[in-house]
Short mmCIF file of all heavy atoms in Angstrom, two decimals:
data_model
loop_
_atom_site.label_atom_id
_atom_site.label_comp_id
_atom_site.label_asym_id
_atom_site.label_seq_id
_atom_site.Cartn_x
_atom_site.Cartn_y
_atom_site.Cartn_z
N TYR N 90 97.22 121.38 86.49
CA TYR N 90 95.89 121.00 86.97
C TYR N 90 95.95 120.29 88.33
O TYR N 90 96.98 119.70 88.69
CB TYR N 90 95.16 120.13 85.95
CG TYR N 90 95.52 118.65 85.96
CD1 TYR N 90 94.69 117.71 86.58
CD2 TYR N 90 96.68 118.19 85.34
CE1 TYR N 90 95.00 116.35 86.58
CE2 TYR N 90 96.99 116.83 85.33
CZ TYR N 90 96.15 115.92 85.96
OH TYR N 90 96.46 114.58 85.97
N VAL N 91 94.85 120.36 89.06
CA VAL N 91 94.73 119.67 90.35
C VAL N 91 93.49 118.80 90.31
O VAL N 91 92.41 119.26 89.91
CB VAL N 91 94.56 120.68 91.51
CG1 VAL N 91 94.39 119.95 92.84
CG2 VAL N 91 95.75 121.63 91.58
N ARG N 92 93.65 117.53 90.67
CA ARG N 92 92.49 116.65 90.76
C ARG N 92 92.56 115.95 92.11
O ARG N 92 93.44 115.08 92.34
CB ARG N 92 92.51 115.63 89.61
CG ARG N 92 91.14 115.00 89.31
CD ARG N 92 90.66 114.08 90.40
NE ARG N 92 89.32 113.56 90.15
CZ ARG N 92 88.27 113.85 90.92
NH1 ARG N 92 88.38 114.68 91.94
NH2 ARG N 92 87.10 113.30 90.67
N SER N 93 91.70 116.33 93.03
CA SER N 93 91.68 115.72 94.37
C SER N 93 90.27 115.29 94.73
O SER N 93 89.31 115.97 94.37
CB SER N 93 92.20 116.73 95.41
OG SER N 93 93.56 117.03 95.15
N HIS N 94 90.18 114.17 95.43
CA HIS N 94 88.88 113.64 95.83
C HIS N 94 88.47 114.04 97.24
O HIS N 94 87.38 113.74 97.68
CB HIS N 94 88.89 112.10 95.73
CG HIS N 94 88.98 111.60 94.31
ND1 HIS N 94 90.13 111.66 93.56
CD2 HIS N 94 88.05 111.04 93.50
CE1 HIS N 94 89.91 111.15 92.36
NE2 HIS N 94 88.66 110.77 92.30
N CYS N 138 94.78 113.35 83.50
CA CYS N 138 93.64 112.69 84.11
C CYS N 138 92.90 111.88 83.05
O CYS N 138 92.74 112.33 81.91
CB CYS N 138 92.70 113.73 84.71
SG CYS N 138 91.32 112.99 85.60
N ASP N 194 94.86 110.72 102.33
CA ASP N 194 93.65 111.56 102.32
C ASP N 194 92.46 110.74 102.83
O ASP N 194 92.52 109.51 102.91
CB ASP N 194 93.39 112.17 100.94
CG ASP N 194 93.59 111.21 99.76
OD1 ASP N 194 94.05 110.06 99.98
OD2 ASP N 194 93.28 111.60 98.63
N PHE N 205 92.41 107.45 99.01
CA PHE N 205 92.57 107.21 97.58
C PHE N 205 93.66 106.16 97.42
O PHE N 205 94.64 106.18 98.14
CB PHE N 205 92.98 108.50 96.85
CG PHE N 205 92.99 108.35 95.36
CD1 PHE N 205 91.85 108.61 94.62
CD2 PHE N 205 94.14 107.92 94.70
CE1 PHE N 205 91.84 108.45 93.23
CE2 PHE N 205 94.14 107.76 93.31
CZ PHE N 205 92.99 108.03 92.59
N HIS N 238 99.69 118.87 95.22
CA HIS N 238 100.26 117.82 94.36
C HIS N 238 100.84 116.66 95.15
O HIS N 238 101.55 115.82 94.60
CB HIS N 238 101.28 118.43 93.40
CG HIS N 238 100.63 119.39 92.44
ND1 HIS N 238 99.74 118.98 91.47
CD2 HIS N 238 100.70 120.74 92.34
CE1 HIS N 238 99.31 120.04 90.79
NE2 HIS N 238 99.86 121.12 91.31
N ARG N 243 104.67 111.49 96.67
CA ARG N 243 103.65 110.85 95.83
C ARG N 243 104.32 109.85 94.90
O ARG N 243 105.53 109.94 94.66
CB ARG N 243 102.91 111.89 94.99
CG ARG N 243 103.74 112.39 93.81
CD ARG N 243 103.01 113.37 92.93
NE ARG N 243 101.79 112.82 92.36
CZ ARG N 243 100.85 113.54 91.75
NH1 ARG N 243 101.00 114.85 91.62
NH2 ARG N 243 99.78 112.97 91.24
N GLY N 251 96.66 109.58 85.36
CA GLY N 251 97.00 110.30 86.59
C GLY N 251 96.58 109.59 87.86
O GLY N 251 97.26 109.69 88.89
N SER N 254 99.07 107.73 89.96
CA SER N 254 100.14 108.49 90.62
C SER N 254 99.56 109.04 91.92
O SER N 254 99.03 110.15 91.97
CB SER N 254 100.63 109.62 89.70
OG SER N 254 101.30 109.07 88.58
N LYS N 256 98.89 110.64 95.40
CA LYS N 256 99.44 111.76 96.17
C LYS N 256 99.41 111.44 97.67
O LYS N 256 98.69 110.55 98.10
CB LYS N 256 98.60 113.01 95.89
CG LYS N 256 98.52 113.33 94.39
CD LYS N 256 97.95 114.70 94.10
CE LYS N 256 96.45 114.79 94.16
NZ LYS N 256 95.94 116.09 93.66
N TRP N 257 100.18 112.20 98.45
CA TRP N 257 100.23 112.02 99.91
C TRP N 257 100.38 110.53 100.24
O TRP N 257 99.63 109.95 101.04
CB TRP N 257 98.96 112.58 100.57
CG TRP N 257 98.58 113.93 100.03
CD1 TRP N 257 99.28 115.09 100.20
CD2 TRP N 257 97.42 114.26 99.24
NE1 TRP N 257 98.62 116.12 99.55
CE2 TRP N 257 97.49 115.64 98.96
CE3 TRP N 257 96.34 113.53 98.74
CZ2 TRP N 257 96.52 116.29 98.20
CZ3 TRP N 257 95.38 114.18 97.99
CH2 TRP N 257 95.47 115.54 97.72
N TYR N 277 87.45 104.41 87.43
CA TYR N 277 88.47 104.39 86.38
C TYR N 277 88.40 103.13 85.53
O TYR N 277 89.39 102.43 85.32
CB TYR N 277 89.87 104.62 86.96
CG TYR N 277 89.97 105.99 87.56
CD1 TYR N 277 89.87 106.19 88.93
CD2 TYR N 277 90.09 107.11 86.74
CE1 TYR N 277 89.89 107.47 89.47
CE2 TYR N 277 90.12 108.39 87.27
CZ TYR N 277 90.01 108.55 88.64
OH TYR N 277 90.02 109.81 89.16
N1 MTE T 26 95.82 110.54 97.35
C1 MTE T 26 95.30 110.92 96.16
N2 MTE T 26 96.03 110.72 95.06
C2 MTE T 26 95.53 111.08 93.86
C3 MTE T 26 94.23 111.63 93.73
C4 MTE T 26 93.49 111.84 94.92
O1 MTE T 26 92.36 112.36 94.91
N3 MTE T 26 94.06 111.46 96.13
N4 MTE T 26 93.73 111.93 92.48
C5 MTE T 26 94.35 111.20 91.37
C6 MTE T 26 93.94 111.65 90.06
S1 MTE T 26 92.43 111.12 89.50
C7 MTE T 26 94.79 112.36 89.25
S2 MTE T 26 94.36 112.73 87.67
C8 MTE T 26 96.08 112.85 89.75
C9 MTE T 26 96.16 114.36 89.67
O2 MTE T 26 97.39 114.83 90.14
P1 MTE T 26 97.60 116.38 90.38
O3 MTE T 26 96.49 116.89 91.23
O4 MTE T 26 98.94 116.51 90.99
O5 MTE T 26 97.55 117.03 89.01
O6 MTE T 26 96.31 112.49 91.10
C10 MTE T 26 95.87 111.20 91.45
N5 MTE T 26 96.31 110.87 92.78
#
Side-chain angles (χ1 to χ4, degrees):
Y90 81 101
V91 178
R92 201 290 176 246
S93 296
H94 292 73
C138 184
D194 43 355
F205 187 90
H238 296 293
R243 76 177 301 168
S254 292
K256 304 192 280 189
W257 315 293
Y277 296 100

